[in-house]
Amino acid sequence: MIWKIYARRSHAPLSARLLQEGQQEPFFEESTGIKYGIHNHLWLEDVIHLRIEELDGLMRELQTVILRDDWSFLTVFAKRCKETLAQLTATAVRLSEHPKLTSGSNAEIACLIDEWFAIYKKACSFIPVFRTIDKILVNYLPQESQSNFISGAHSHITEETRERTELRNIVTRLNSFGDLKATSALATELIEHHVEEFGWLGMRWYLGSPLTNADVHSRVVALLSRPQSYNTPQNWLPDNKDGDWRKPIIDELAFLRSHRAEAINKAIWTIRPLFSSLCVRLSLDYSEIVYMLPGEVISSLEGQEPPVNIIQLRKQCFGTVLLDDVYYDFAGRQAVEAFQRSIKLQIPSNTLSSDKSSRSELTLRGVAASPGKVTGRVKLVSIESDCEKVLDGDILVTIMTYPSMVASMQRAAAIVTDDGGLLSHAAVTARELEKPCLIDTKNATELLSDGDLVEVDCVACVVRKLASQ
């Protein structure tokens, strides 16, 4: 089999396996309306590999409708996605308030968990379709017309955009009172209310941690110290002077791609009472529950001992593998690497890291997601703590961006990603922030190092490494 790295995602094993199950036939077709499914899927730690033949098949399936300008499928697809996300949200609220959480038997809790897993899988089944549509749009829309399709704000406001707007409102109020350090009683009240409403944005696929008062306070102080660095977002419909009927659909898809991740993560936050009940019943911490597989959660409720030793190995490194519709589980680095060798899969690594510094002249090509041309120093971001090293004027270089990285994106002069499409989080957020953004460079994180002086040119669609000054 020939495999391709499809994406890099930090998920807990529980979420990774549920996502895989949601992309199999016939579940996939039932959810998305596409007569296609994934039969082979490698999730090894934070790297997802798919078979090239299956990726090509999904691409062909979508191209048959998109490339002949029969976009009615995309309208139906968007409708299906919105309905599923609404169902996910409603299910999370209902289950989080279910009276059986405290008084029910383990068998009754298992039924609630089964219901949650089913709707969660359905919501996750849309993920590869969005990514594939994104790739098709990049190739389908001429470069000179892409900016017309993706420029400006979108007709729908995501929760992340709303959160940034509310943060700016806090800054405006405190600035009018001359509280430039956000130390007043009013600042405390506003920040606490902000965390209560938007704290869930710090969560990601059962991992991450909710926003804290300290997180929001630091962002408020940063904005107070440089009020000229932010603008009030414009909430108008995208300019469509030419009356192109495709633009509203692209706008809807761009919103849904961000909204899908937000809805899933907010639902994970909402469903915490159900997981708290699991923790009590299984005598485990939340961080242990999410390192179990769905079947293990159910079997533990049925009386089997939770696989505590395997959970600890998975925290070190895990693999959940689908080969010809059969699942395999690998726990621990040795087991994952042994499997990689057995199928002759190259272990992903920064193999060029040793000679990065010798590459004084380097040009990387990508896709311009937001216009502009700037020069700055590279700051590589691979984990959340790396965000702190991004200073004003730096070039943020990462595999892909997440909502928890927005503060560092605000400080950066430009954003460069290995992955992503015109509808990706990096692309949409960079356009709102009016930051130059180059996506889909494939290997910027491997070829660039912290401190490299680079020019990000979103006209020529390149990143040029410059001689150090």
Side-chain angles (χ1 to χ4, degrees), residues 122-137:
K122 191 173 182 181
C124 287
S125 65
F126 291 87
I127 294 174
V129 186
F130 273 109
R131 287 178 53 81
T132 305
I133 289 172
D134 217 343
K135 296 293 184 184
I136 293 173
L137 292 179

Side-chain angles (χ1 to χ4, degrees), residues 69-124:
D69 272 352
D70 178 11
W71 282 27
S72 59
F73 160 77
L74 294 181
T75 302
V76 174
F77 173 78
K79 182 174 183 292
R80 282 174 176 263
C81 184
K82 285 190 290 188
E83 290 173 349
T84 299
L85 295 176
Q87 186 182 356
L88 176 77
T89 299
T91 301
V93 171
R94 178 170 54 80
L95 295 183
S96 69
E97 300 171 348
H98 204 286
K100 296 294 184 181
L101 293 186
T102 54
S103 62
S105 65
N106 281 8
E108 290 171 319
I109 296 299
C111 290
L112 301 183
I113 285 289
D114 267 336
E115 183 179 355
W116 169 246
F117 286 168
I119 184 59
Y120 187 87
K121 288 190 291 186
K122 191 173 182 181
C124 287

Side-chain angles (χ1 to χ4, degrees), residues 157-174:
I157 304 301
T158 64
E159 287 296 291
E160 187 182 330
T161 298
R162 197 165 69 85
E163 188 268 346
R164 286 197 293 275
T165 301
E166 292 302 316
L167 194 73
R168 291 165 182 141
N169 290 338
I170 292 175
V171 171
T172 299
R173 289 189 65 179
L174 295 181

Side-chain angles (χ1 to χ4, degrees), residues 284-302:
L284 296 174
D285 293 333
Y286 178 85
S287 63
E288 294 173 308
I289 295 285
V290 299
Y291 273 82
M292 297 171 70
L293 298 179
E296 293 170 346
V297 174
I298 299 299
S299 62
S300 295
L301 285 169
E302 293 173 345

Side-chain angles (χ1 to χ4, degrees), residues 63 115 150 206 236 332 335 371 427 430 432 437 467:
Q63 282 177 330
E115 183 179 355
I150 64 179
Y206 296 96
W236 62 75
E432 181 189 326
C437 179

Side-chain angles (χ1 to χ4, degrees), residues 127-151:
I127 294 174
V129 186
F130 273 109
R131 287 178 53 81
T132 305
I133 289 172
D134 217 343
K135 296 293 184 184
I136 293 173
L137 292 179
V138 168
N139 296 322
Y140 172 62
L141 300 175
Q143 182 69 43
E144 61 272 14
S145 68
Q146 286 182 12
S147 60
N148 176 55
F149 279 96
I150 64 179
S151 62

Side-chain angles (χ1 to χ4, degrees), residues 157-214:
I157 304 301
T158 64
E159 287 296 291
E160 187 182 330
T161 298
R162 197 165 69 85
E163 188 268 346
R164 286 197 293 275
T165 301
E166 292 302 316
L167 194 73
R168 291 165 182 141
N169 290 338
I170 292 175
V171 171
T172 299
R173 289 189 65 179
L174 295 181
N175 191 49
S176 66
F177 284 101
D179 183 5
L180 301 183
K181 297 295 184 181
T183 56
S184 64
L186 174 62
T188 299
E189 179 184 349
L190 293 174
I191 288 171
E192 287 178 350
H193 177 74
H194 192 84
V195 169
E196 183 178 346
E197 185 171 3
F198 297 107
W200 60 271
L201 280 169
M203 302 295 293
R204 188 174 69 248
W205 308 111
Y206 296 96
L207 298 177
S209 56
L211 298 177
T212 65
N213 291 353

